[in-house]
């Protein structure tokens, strides 16, 4: 470019009157020293005006005198081959303000984002260095000397500041960048070129270039924006220094092979590395960086083993690095799907506002992808999940991640300064130090969670663990398989790796009547409590997004086996059928509830039942409703219904349904705008208007929300209908039993009707809904009165077993009898305020109430309402489910098994009736042995097996397996009372004081005769066996049972042989004569207590126990 001198200008610059007109270009040159550095070469001539391309090569790097900001880019340029684009880093002098008119709008093909460039002191001519300010040269342009690089032609670059513009020239084509400013960084000596939103790149006409000198008189313009948050590298500050790792700073050239996440700035390079551009402002790179593009990465950080689910090394440039375009892609640009381009602003928030380090940022992007796969597009649209979060419109994606991010990267950490990150030497940035991240959690789909729970349940199923060997060795085949038929497993989030977070849309099933969590993969039943002892009641929860970290995955295992004996427990061939019921239970207080936009719910027909509001002809929605107080709720079961006149003559099948009873509160109300109008008068308001509501079909979805003592609003959409809720209305069913029950009407709730929970505080005539549920007293529950057959109580479930089915009634025809599914027996401990030791009771559940409701697990507290109380032939009280039964789970089983020691008592305390504990421990002395029985029986039919052969008459047993059984009856006392204790099977060996080898040898000796039974009625023994009385085996047992090795002090753990629910009349004390030497004593003795042995242990200090009995 030829130098041109303009008249009127001196060698040092121009005056104000000689200032060039706006639009004229003025060149600065430096011919003393060449400019060195790396550049971005465009390999071939390619017009970019056909499709906008943005070159990321204008970035800052280490060598050179100029500094270019983090986002300066070029688009719609035609660069002749070969061409070099070079920008360098260095220090500046003074403050320079370039002001003036910008180019016309039609001449601005490119508007770059704000960026920085600086003029160095050591790269200026000597005259300019003395003034410490850039001055104009006499030639048009700041010319760069020839560059020495093998195989490449030297190129020149010019930056020309003009009034309002800066020239950037490539030979032979020159362009200028308009609307630049020179500012100062607070706290530093840098003077920096900075672009503005109105900056543009325009062609420059050489004839407009003039020689000038810029004056620095005037105030300085400081550019020190508020510091940005500094990304923390996931628990960096809390971890010790040895756990911190240092990234490697290097340059790398490679080809993009895949786009992992365009909004998150994640790409794959050379099929092995991950490129993360999130820590630069990479808006202009999204359309350029695609598979096939060659990039040169300068001053890029290499992070290895970052964790968080990322297994490959990661390349991440900071604001100090450079991303240079080395080659365009030969592939045709693919138009990404709409949802694939969503969420860029949210990912920027994760870096710049949430201060996430690279390991935690990579995990957050993976978690957002998991959530998008779970929830989009049926629950949420992609743009809704990944929208920018602001105070008035929070992002659902950020809300779901916030609880984890608040712990790993709390707000208020150190701040990030972009200017310092670009200009300071030595270099400091958030990517220099990082800590390997242990994956904090994951968001699995519900189908994955269900499959994992089912796999873990069967993988952990071990028959030998469920039935310990000492006990299992004495069980018959029927007892063995019955105990294995049902078991359960509870999985906490911490048992998974990584821990799981439950997320899904809460819905009510219109087919099963239970609550469900749903996502794209499927649904999972759930049992939810609002708080402890409080079920959920608010129907507005339907359709909300639920997120919880505290939950239990419950797997109920049902298995059908044919194990002949305990020896075959490890063989899987005897397992015939296995099923698992998986569901979730959690407290609503531990969950995050996010409402979902209503229009989206209406479009997601596959997830939420449509609840659109019909509109009148004028477009105004009309509804009518009526309040009612619910007093009782019946069980959800299959019921028969009367066939209405004119219906099909086919016999209807039972359908799943439930009924509630209550009374109306006021008359019908109509919707007036957004509120309900006054109630209409309805007949005699002084009369208690009882109503029975029948829910069947899709309306059973309200089953989990209706509970006694609550006020609900029954809403019927559609135009006003007279007598809609009255007797004789279109939904009313008149039946004779209702008249006998005193109900005014019976309404069948249509599928489109809805329920809304109302507050009882606004209704003074309604009792407080927080009052306790009605319960029967222990006297009513355990009385012998047969008139009061319905009882209610709350209890803790102790055990749950699958029993044989009850015998069918005699009137049931064999042809019409269905295959019985057995019954479920719950052993519960009834809770009562006036009883310190709750009595135990059996509750039976059979068809049509099978399978049992969710949550009936050992350790759970349950309220049973209106159970049928029955008395067995053995005078034992038990209860059964009936259609009128109401069940409510009050609390879940504890997360970890808590071993509570049995209370330690005296035997006399057991004579206090129902105030005595059912299980306890006592220190006592074995006085004598009443009876002993050892035998071998067939494991299939329990017949006697002498010599190991079954003695069953008729059919032959399928297996010739026999098992040993034993029982012994002991008389014990502790100085306060006597008790008759029965020990069975392996407890007999402990009572006789035999070690395992001695016990095994004794049983083998009994195998020959098959049975040995001894009755001790005083001195000597009466033998009941096939052996003779003088045989060695009988003599050994008789001697053993009368020796001090058996008659010794012990610590006995026991339970009452008869449950406290058995109706028995206590025996009065009896007179008994004792002979002590020559003295005869006559005293009253309490009746002997009958106990069952749980365990026998030797006392720690045997000399201190049983002293009274030994002295007598």
């Amino acid at each position: 470019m030829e130098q041109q001198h303009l008249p009127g200008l001196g060698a040092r610059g121009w005056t104000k009157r000689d200032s060039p007109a706006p639009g004229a270009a003025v060149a600065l040159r430096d011919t003393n020293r060449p400019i060195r550095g790396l550049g971005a070469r465009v390999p071939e001539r390619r017009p970019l005006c056909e499709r906008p391309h943005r070159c990321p090569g204008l970035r800052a790097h280490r060598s050179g005198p100029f500094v270019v900001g983090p986002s300066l880019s070029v688009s719609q340029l035609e660069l002749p081959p070969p061409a070099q684009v070079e920008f360098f880093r260095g220090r500046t002098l003074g403050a320079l303000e370039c002001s003036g008119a910008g180019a016309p709008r039609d001449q601005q093909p490119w508007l770059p984002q704000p960026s920085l460039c600086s003029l160095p002191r050591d790269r200026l001519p000597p005259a300019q260095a003395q003034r410490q300010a850039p001055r104009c040269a006499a030639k048009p342009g700041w010319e760069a000397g020839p560059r020495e690089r093998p195989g490449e032609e030297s190129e020149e670059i010019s930056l020309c500041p003009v009034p309002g513009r800066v020239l950037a020239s490539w030979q032979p084509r020159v362009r200028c960048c308009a609307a630049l400013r020179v500012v100062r960084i607070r706290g530093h000596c840098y003077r920096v070129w900075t672009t503005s939103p109105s900056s543009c790149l325009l062609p420059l006409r050489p004839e407009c270039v003039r020689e000038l000198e810029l004056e620095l008189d005037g105030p300085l313009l400081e550019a020190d924006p508020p510091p940005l948050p500094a990304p923390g590298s996931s628990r960096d500050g809390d971890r010790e220094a040895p756990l911190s790792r240092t990234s490697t700073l290097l340059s790398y050239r490679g080809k993009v092979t895949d786009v992992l996440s365009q909004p998150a700035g994640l790409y794959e390079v050379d099929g092995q590395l991950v490129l993360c551009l999130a820590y630069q402002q990479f808006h202009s790179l999204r359309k350029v960086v695609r598979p096939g593009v060659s990039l040169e990465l300068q001053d890029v950080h290499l992070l290895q083993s970052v964790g968080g689910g990322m297994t490959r090394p990661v390349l991440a440039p900071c604001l100090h690095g450079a991303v240079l375009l080395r080659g365009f892609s030969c592939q045709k640009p693919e138009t990404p799907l709409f949802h694939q381009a969503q969420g860029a602003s949210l990912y920027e928030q994760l870096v710049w506002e949430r201060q996430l380090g690279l390991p935690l940022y990579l995990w957050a992007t993976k978690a957002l992808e998991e959530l998008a796969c779970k929830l989009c597009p049926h629950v949420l649209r992609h743009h809704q999940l990944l929208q920018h979060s602001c105070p008035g419109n929070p992002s659902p994606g950020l809300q779901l991640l916030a609880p984890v991010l608040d712990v790993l990267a709390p707000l208020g950490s150190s701040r990030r300064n972009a200017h310092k990150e670009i200009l300071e030497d030595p270099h400091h940035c958030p990517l220099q130090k990082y800590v390997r991240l242990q994956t904090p959690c994951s968001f699995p789909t519900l189908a994955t969670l269900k499959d994992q729970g089912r796999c873990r349940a069967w993988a952990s199923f071990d028959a030998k663990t469920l039935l310990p060997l000492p006990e299992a060795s004495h069980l018959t085949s029927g007892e063995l398989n019955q105990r294995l038929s049902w078991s359960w497993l509870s999985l906490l989030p911490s048992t998974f790796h990584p821990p799981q977070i439950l997320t899904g849309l809460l819905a009510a099933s219109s087919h099963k009547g239970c609550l469900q969590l749903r996502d794209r993969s499927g649904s999972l039943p759930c049992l939810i409590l609002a708080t402890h002892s409080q079920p959920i009641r608010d129907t507005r929860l339907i359709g909300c997004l639920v997120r919880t970290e505290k939950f239990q995955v419950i797997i109920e295992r049902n298995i059908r086996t044919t194990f002949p004996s305990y020896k075959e427990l490890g063989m899987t061939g005897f397992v015939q059928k296995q099923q698992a019921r998986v569901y979730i239970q959690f407290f609503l207080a531990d969950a995050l509830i996010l409402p979902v936009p209503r229009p989206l719910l209406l479009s997601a027909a596959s997830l939420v039942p449509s609840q659109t509001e019909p509109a009148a002809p004028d477009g105004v929605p009309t509804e009518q409703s009526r309040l009612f107080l619910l007093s009782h709720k019946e069980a959800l079961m299959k019921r028969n219904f009367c066939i209405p006149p004119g219906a099909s003559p086919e016999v209807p099948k039972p359908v799943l349904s439930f009924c509630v009873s209550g009374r109306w509160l006021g008359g019908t109300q109509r919707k007036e705008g957004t509120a309900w109008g006054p109630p209409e008068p309805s007949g005699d308001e002084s009369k208690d208007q009882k109503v029975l509501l029948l829910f069947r079909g899709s309306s059973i979805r309200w089953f989990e929300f209706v509970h006694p003592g609550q006020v609900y609003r029954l809403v019927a959409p559609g135009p006003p209908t007279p007598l809609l809720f009255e007797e004789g209305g279109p939904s009313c069913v008149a039946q004779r039993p209702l008249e006998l029950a005193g109900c005014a009407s019976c309404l069948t709730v249509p599928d489109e009707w809805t329920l809304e929970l109302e507050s009882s505080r606004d209704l003074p005539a309604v009792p407080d809904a927080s009052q306790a549920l009605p319960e029967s007293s222990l006297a009513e529950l355990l009385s012998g009165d047969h008139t009061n057959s319905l009882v209610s109580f709350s209890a803790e479930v102790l055990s749950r077993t699958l029993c044989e089915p009850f015998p069918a009634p005699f009137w049931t025809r064999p042809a019409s009898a269905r295959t019985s599914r057995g019954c479920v027996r719950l052993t519960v401990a009834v809770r009562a305020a006036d009883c310190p030791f709750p009595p135990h009771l059996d509750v039976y559940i059979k068809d049509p109430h099978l399978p049992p409701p969710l949550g009936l697990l050992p350790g759970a507290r349950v309220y049973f309402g209106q159970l049928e109380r029955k008395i067995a032939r053995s005078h034992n009280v038990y209860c059964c489910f009936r259609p009128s039964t109401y069940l409510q789970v009050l609390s879940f089983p504890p997360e970890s098994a808590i071993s509570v020691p049995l209370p330690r008592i005296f035997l006399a305390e057991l004579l206090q009736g129902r105030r005595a504990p059912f299980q306890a421990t006592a220190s006592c002395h074995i006085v004598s042995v009443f009876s002993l029985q050892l035998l071998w029986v067939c494991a299939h039919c329990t017949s006697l097996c002498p010599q190991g052969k079954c003695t069953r008459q008729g059919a032959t047993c399928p297996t010739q397996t026999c098992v040993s059984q034993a029982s012994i009856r002991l008389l014990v006392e502790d100085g306060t009372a006597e008790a008759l204790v029965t020990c069975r099977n392996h407890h007999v060996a402990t009572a006789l004081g035999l070690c395992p080898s001695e016990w095994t040898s004794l049983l083998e000796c009994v195998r020959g005769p098959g049975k040995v039974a001894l009755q001790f009625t005083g001195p000597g023994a009466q033998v009941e066996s096939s052996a003779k009385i003088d045989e060695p085996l009988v003599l050994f047992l008789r001697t053993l049972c009368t020796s001090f090795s058996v008659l010794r002090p012990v610590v006995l753990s026991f339970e009452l042989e008869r449950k406290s629910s058995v109706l028995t009349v206590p025996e009065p004390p009896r007179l008994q004569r004792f002979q002590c030497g020559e003295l005869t004593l006559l005293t009253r003795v309490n009746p002997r207590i009958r106990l069952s042995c749980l365990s026998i242990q030797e006392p720690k200090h045997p000399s201190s126990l049983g002293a009274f009995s030994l002295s007598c």
Side-chain angles (χ1 to χ4, degrees):
M1 182 179 294
E2 182 180 357
Q3 178 180 355
Q4 297 180 1
H5 292 276
L6 301 180
L9 292 178
R12 299 294 300 274
W14 74 79
T15 60
K16 293 184 178 180
R17 60 182 179 87
D18 298 324
S19 299
V26 180
L28 299 177
R29 67 172 184 172
D30 182 2
T31 58
N32 296 331
R33 303 176 63 180
I35 300 178
R36 302 184 182 89
L38 299 177
R41 176 180 295 277
V42 180
E44 60 180 357
R45 175 184 291 274
R46 181 171 182 178
L48 305 182
C49 57
E50 300 177 359
R51 178 177 178 84
H53 295 275
R54 301 191 178 187
C55 176
L58 306 182
R59 297 290 182 185
H61 54 82
R62 289 187 180 276
S63 61
F66 292 100
V67 171
V68 180
S71 60
L72 182 60
S73 58
V74 180
S75 70
Q76 297 183 353
L77 299 180
E78 295 184 6
L79 303 181
Q84 291 279 340
V85 183
E86 301 186 4
F87 289 87
F88 305 91
R89 183 174 64 86
R91 294 188 295 177
T92 62
L93 305 173
L96 178 61
E97 174 72 24
C98 295
S99 60
R105 192 65 181 174
D106 56 354
Q107 301 180 13
Q108 300 180 6
W110 172 65
L111 295 177
Q113 298 181 4
S115 58
L116 304 174
C117 64
S118 65
L119 302 178
R121 176 184 305 177
D122 54 352
R123 298 290 179 172
L124 294 178
Q128 298 180 19
Q130 293 177 2
R131 290 178 52 93
Q132 296 187 357
R135 65 173 292 216
C136 298
K139 288 187 178 182
W142 189 323
E143 299 178 356
R147 301 182 56 233
E148 301 292 339
R149 182 173 296 182
E152 295 185 3
E153 300 179 3
S154 62
E155 299 292 333
E156 296 181 354
I157 179 171
S158 299
L159 291 178
C160 300
V162 298
R165 303 186 179 185
V166 169
L167 173 69
S169 64
W170 294 269
Q171 298 299 333
R173 184 165 299 186
V174 182
R175 299 182 184 267
C176 64
C177 184
L180 290 182
R181 296 185 303 173
V182 175
V183 296
R184 185 184 69 180
I185 303 298
R186 179 181 302 173
H188 298 272
C189 60
Y190 298 112
R191 310 205 183 258
V192 182
W193 291 108
T194 171
T195 60
S196 63
S198 61
S199 299
C200 60
L201 193 64
L202 300 175
L204 178 67
R205 292 177 295 177
E207 60 271 14
C208 298
V209 177
R210 299 181 181 180
E211 182 180 342
L212 54 86
E213 178 181 352
L214 300 181
E215 300 291 343
L216 299 179
D217 299 335
L220 300 178
L221 180 63
E222 295 185 352
D224 193 8
L228 299 174
S233 44
S234 68
R235 303 184 183 181
D236 302 9
D238 299 336
R239 293 183 177 267
E240 299 179 359
L243 299 179
S244 178
R245 304 185 182 188
T246 303
S247 62
T248 304
L249 198 64
L250 49 81
S251 296
Y252 184 86
R253 180 178 293 186
K255 181 178 291 186
V256 177
T257 55
D258 192 12
V259 178
L260 303 180
S261 176
Q262 187 184 86
L266 298 178
Y267 305 90
E268 183 186 71
V269 179
D270 296 336
Q272 298 179 350
L273 303 176
V274 175
L275 174 61
C276 178
L277 300 178
Y279 291 85
Q280 285 191 341
Q281 297 179 2
F282 63 101
H283 306 282
S284 57
L285 303 180
R286 293 193 181 99
K287 295 183 179 180
V288 178
V289 181
R290 61 179 185 271
V293 170
S294 297
L295 298 177
E296 180 178 338
L297 307 174
Q298 298 179 356
D299 291 348
V300 64
H301 295 268
L302 174 64
L303 294 84
Q304 304 186 54
S305 185
V306 297
M310 179 62 66
T311 57
R312 293 183 289 182
V314 182
L315 294 172
C318 62
L319 296 179
H320 188 75
V323 181
L324 308 179
L325 177 65
R326 289 300 186 184
F328 292 103
S329 174
C330 299
Q331 302 180 12
K332 182 180 179 181
E334 298 181 359
T335 303
L337 300 177
F338 176 75
H339 69 270
Q340 295 178 350
Q342 301 296 320
S345 60
L346 178 61
Y347 290 110
E348 291 180 2
Q349 279 188 296
L350 295 178
V351 174
W352 299 100
E353 296 183 16
R354 293 295 310 191
Q355 311 175 24
L356 301 189
L358 182 62
L360 189 55
Y361 174 77
L362 295 176
W363 171 83
T365 57
K366 180 182 178 182
L368 289 174
E369 291 179 0
E370 292 178 350
L371 291 172
C373 294
K374 282 172 54 68
L375 306 176
C376 300
H378 299 299
V379 179
L380 287 172
R381 303 301 184 194
H382 285 85
H383 69 89
Q384 291 177 322
L385 178 66
L386 304 177
Q387 68 182 7
H388 181 82
S389 183
C390 57
N393 189 20
S395 169
L398 190 56
Q399 286 181 293
L400 295 175
L401 294 182
V404 179
L405 299 181
D406 291 342
V407 176
L408 299 180
L411 296 175
S413 302
S414 58
R415 313 293 290 180
R416 183 182 181 187
N417 192 310
H419 294 157
K420 295 180 181 179
E421 188 172 326
I422 298 172
L423 304 175
E424 275 192 347
D425 195 6
H427 172 62
H428 297 283
C429 75
L431 298 177
Q432 285 182 310
K433 299 290 185 179
Y434 69 98
V435 175
R436 175 178 173 83
L437 175 68
Q438 298 293 334
T439 305
C441 58
S442 64
F443 296 85
T445 61
L446 296 178
T448 302
L449 187 62
K450 185 177 182 179
D451 294 340
Q452 289 181 353
R454 184 182 287 110
C455 292
R456 291 203 176 199
W458 294 120
S460 62
F461 177 80
D462 187 6
K464 295 182 178 180
T465 303
L466 296 176
L467 295 176
L469 184 59
E471 179 183 5
S473 60
H474 301 281
L475 297 178
T476 63
S477 178
E479 296 172 340
L480 197 71
N481 295 312
Q482 182 180 353
R483 294 197 183 187
L484 294 175
S485 59
W486 183 88
S487 59
W488 70 290
L489 179 68
S490 174
L491 297 178
L492 300 177
S494 58
T495 59
F496 298 91
H497 182 75
Q500 310 282 10
I501 293 183
L502 184 65
T503 308
L505 186 75
L506 183 61
S509 174
S510 58
H511 301 286
K512 299 181 179 180
C514 64
L515 294 178
Q516 293 179 340
L517 286 179
R518 299 180 181 179
D519 61 8
R520 286 185 58 186
S521 64
S523 61
L524 196 58
C526 57
L527 178 62
I528 307 176
L529 294 180
T531 56
H532 187 75
S533 303
Q534 293 296 328
I536 60 173
R537 304 182 180 95
D538 196 350
T539 58
R540 293 176 298 177
L541 293 173
I542 296 180
C544 291
L545 194 61
V546 178
R547 177 200 182 277
T548 178
E549 301 180 22
K550 297 181 180 180
F551 61 93
Q552 293 179 344
V553 182
I554 304 299
I555 305 99
E556 296 183 8
R557 297 175 294 207
N558 292 276
I559 186 172
R560 184 185 301 171
T561 58
T562 57
F563 290 110
S565 65
Y566 73 97
K567 298 179 180 180
E568 294 80 13
L569 287 180
M571 302 180 183
T572 58
F574 293 98
V575 179
Q576 295 183 342
K577 184 180 180 181
Q578 56 185 20
Q579 294 179 344
R581 182 167 70 161
V582 184
Y583 58 94
I584 304 293
Q585 56 187 22
F586 61 91
F587 288 100
L588 201 64
D590 298 332
L592 175 65
I593 308 299
L594 300 179
V596 178
R598 194 65 179 177
L600 184 61
L601 285 179
L602 299 179
S603 63
S606 61
L607 290 180
V608 180
S610 177
Q611 300 176 7
T612 56
E613 298 179 355
D618 56 354
V620 179
T622 58
E623 295 177 338
Q624 50 186 342
S625 66
R626 195 169 183 181
L627 296 175
F628 72 93
L629 174 63
L630 195 148
S631 58
H632 180 67
K633 168 185 171 183
E634 296 189 357
L636 179 66
M637 55 177 290
K638 290 186 176 182
R639 289 178 170 87
N640 292 318
F641 295 96
C642 298
I643 303 177
S648 175
E650 298 180 0
V651 178
K653 296 182 179 180
V655 296
L656 202 61
S657 63
F658 73 96
C659 301
V660 299
S661 59
R663 60 184 178 90
W664 295 117
L665 299 177
T668 304
Q669 296 176 272
R670 297 186 180 182
K671 201 65 170 291
E672 297 179 357
T674 59
W676 293 102
E680 300 176 356
S682 56
D684 188 5
E685 298 183 358
S686 61
K687 184 179 180 181
D688 192 9
Q689 300 180 356
K690 295 183 179 180
V691 63
L692 182 66
L693 300 180
L694 175 62
F695 295 81
R696 61 179 179 179
S698 297
S699 62
I700 64 173
R701 65 183 183 272
W702 307 110
F703 178 77
E704 294 292 340
F705 292 94
V706 292
H707 299 280
Q710 303 297 319
V711 177
Y712 296 91
R713 182 182 296 275
L714 190 61
V715 181
T721 302
L723 302 176
L724 182 63
F725 303 104
E726 302 291 342
E727 183 179 1
S731 300
C732 186
V733 178
Q735 297 180 6
R736 179 60 180 172
L738 297 177
E739 299 178 1
L740 298 178
C743 294
S745 59
C746 173
L747 296 180
T748 300
V749 179
D751 297 344
E752 65 274 9
W753 285 17
T754 60
L755 280 179
E756 297 178 2
L757 179 66
E758 293 290 334
S759 175
S760 59
R761 298 177 181 177
D762 302 334
L763 304 172
V766 178
D768 187 10
S770 61
Q771 61 183 357
L773 296 172
E775 294 186 4
S776 304
S777 62
L778 288 180
E780 297 174 348
L781 183 62
L782 303 178
S783 68
D785 187 7
H786 294 268
T787 57
N788 189 11
S789 60
L790 295 180
V791 293
S792 301
F793 55 88
S794 60
E796 178 183 352
V797 180
L798 300 178
S799 64
R800 172 175 167 177
T801 56
L802 185 62
C803 305
E804 294 294 331
F806 285 168
F810 66 90
W811 61 81
T812 303
R813 298 180 182 180
S816 62
R818 297 180 299 170
T819 302
S820 179
R821 302 165 61 182
C823 68
V824 174
R825 181 180 65 192
L826 301 177
T827 301
V828 301
V830 181
R831 298 295 178 182
D834 57 344
C835 184
F837 302 104
H840 292 191
L841 194 68
D842 289 336
V843 178
Y844 291 90
I845 307 174
K846 57 181 181 178
D847 273 339
H849 301 280
L850 294 179
L854 304 181
L856 294 182
L857 304 172
R861 289 190 62 247
V862 184
Y863 174 79
F864 300 94
Q866 294 197 8
L867 286 174
E868 183 180 9
R869 188 178 68 95
K870 292 187 175 182
I871 301 177
R873 296 178 182 177
S874 59
H875 305 285
N876 182 34
V877 176
Y878 66 97
C879 297
C880 295
F881 266 54
R882 284 294 175 259
S884 61
T885 299
Y886 166 67
L887 183 143
Q888 176 182 325
V889 177
L890 302 177
S891 65
F892 302 135
E895 296 182 355
S896 58
I898 302 176
S899 179
V900 179
L902 297 177
R904 201 177 189 93
I905 64 171
F906 292 103
L907 295 179
E909 298 180 33
L910 299 176
L911 301 174
Q912 299 178 0
R914 298 189 181 100
R915 293 184 175 273
F918 180 69
Q919 295 179 343
T921 301
S923 298
C924 54
H925 188 276
I926 300 178
V927 178
S928 62
V929 177
F930 271 25
S931 64
L932 173 64
Q933 180 175 271
L934 305 175
L935 69 160
W936 287 83
V937 296
C938 176
H940 180 74
C941 65
T942 67
S943 300
L944 196 63
C945 291
Q947 302 296 333
K949 297 181 180 180
C950 180
T951 58
R952 179 185 179 186
Q953 301 294 330
T956 305
C957 294
T959 60
Q960 295 296 325
T961 304
C962 56
V963 295
S964 63
Q965 293 184 347
S967 64
I968 188 172
R969 300 184 71 187
L970 306 173
L971 180 64
V972 300
E973 59 89 22
D974 66 346
T976 63
E978 292 180 341
L980 193 61
V981 182
T982 302
C983 304
R984 301 183 184 278
N985 299 328
H986 62 283
H987 295 307
V988 177
T990 308
L992 295 178
L994 301 178
C995 65
S997 59
E998 295 173 343
W999 175 247
T1000 303
S1001 301
L1002 177 61
L1003 293 178
E1004 289 298 326
C1005 295
V1006 181
R1007 184 187 291 269
K1011 178 181 179 181
V1012 174
L1014 301 179
Q1015 294 287 341
F1016 297 88
T1017 58
Q1022 296 181 358
V1023 182
E1024 294 181 5
S1025 69
S1026 57
K1028 296 181 180 180
I1029 192 171
D1030 56 350
E1031 286 188 355
L1033 177 61
V1034 178
L1035 294 177
F1036 169 75
L1037 292 177
R1038 183 177 58 185
T1039 304
L1040 178 64
C1041 293
T1042 56
S1043 65
F1044 287 104
S1045 60
V1046 176
L1047 308 180
R1048 67 191 189 278
V1050 295
V1051 178
L1052 178 67
S1053 297
F1054 58 87
E1055 67 179 7
L1056 297 177
E1057 191 173 85
R1058 288 193 176 185
K1059 297 181 180 180
S1060 53
S1061 58
V1062 176
L1063 304 177
T1064 56
V1065 179
E1067 299 180 10
R1070 69 182 187 278
L1071 290 175
Q1072 187 172 352
R1073 189 183 304 273
F1074 293 91
Q1075 189 72 28
C1076 187
E1078 298 179 355
L1079 184 62
T1080 302
L1081 301 177
L1082 186 64
T1083 183
R1084 293 183 180 273
V1085 179
N1086 290 322
R1088 290 173 178 171
I1089 309 167
R1090 297 181 179 271
L1091 305 176
S1092 294
C1093 175
L1094 296 178
S1095 68
I1096 296 178
Q1097 298 178 356
E1098 302 299 328
K1100 297 181 179 180
H1101 306 286
S1103 60
S1104 61
L1105 297 174
F1108 175 78
S1109 59
L1110 290 177
S1111 64
C1112 295

